[in-house]
Amino acid sequence: MSKVEIDALTAEFFGSFDNRGGRPADVARLRRLLLPGAVIVVTAPAFTVYTVDEFIGPREQLLSDGRLVEFSEWETAERTEIVGDLASRFGEYRKSGILNGEPYEGSGTKTIQFVRTPEGWRIAAFSWFDQP
């Protein structure tokens, strides 16, 4: 059951950024999916460490102000290892949308660390890099 729950949590994570068809992205739901003190790191193009709020704020803005529309990202491959109440997922993803009126596509790699809490699985940390 844990793998099914982690798959669903991961799909909900990626779905948080989806604003296709004019619907608003629900980036704020990440506050429910992540632990309050989760660590978020991007390694490329520029190494940055974020708190949950530092990560969510700019993405809410970008996905709601008309600069990035018809956006979605999705996992294309993954490996998940679960040991007791800990899990780690290493995955490849793709993304596409329209950024500032121009087609936008990309891909990258994400690693997500999960912990099982009394309320269920949550994301404790994630890191990613985008392919150049």
Side-chain angles (χ1 to χ4, degrees), residues 13-14 73 89-91 93 108-112 126-128:
F13 170 82
F14 280 101
E73 63 178 14
R89 187 176 189 109
F90 193 82
Y93 67 94
T109 302
K110 276 192 171 79
T111 181
I112 307 173
F126 69 92
S127 302
W128 83 96

Side-chain angles (χ1 to χ4, degrees), residues 39-42 47-51 54:
V39 176
I40 303 162
V41 179
V42 59
F47 184 87
T48 309
V49 179
Y50 299 98
T51 66
E54 289 169 342

Side-chain angles (χ1 to χ4, degrees), residues 57-125:
R59 282 146 190 89
E60 279 182 318
Q61 179 75 28
L62 178 65
L63 291 163
S64 66
D65 67 7
R67 288 182 292 153
L68 181 57
V69 297
E70 295 304 313
F71 181 78
S72 67
E73 63 178 14
W74 61 97
E75 208 171 39
T76 58
E78 59 85 11
R79 293 186 317 271
T80 302
E81 186 171 339
I82 303 167
V83 179
D85 293 333
L86 303 174
S88 183
R89 187 176 189 109
F90 193 82
E92 304 294 319
Y93 67 94
R94 298 221 19 98
K95 58 188 174 179
S96 69
I98 300 171
L99 179 62
N100 297 320
E102 298 293 326
Y104 170 75
E105 291 189 4
S107 63
T109 302
K110 276 192 171 79
T111 181
I112 307 173
Q113 288 70 50
F114 302 89
V115 295
R116 188 184 345 240
T117 72
E119 293 78 34
W121 288 98
R122 297 293 180 265
I123 298 170

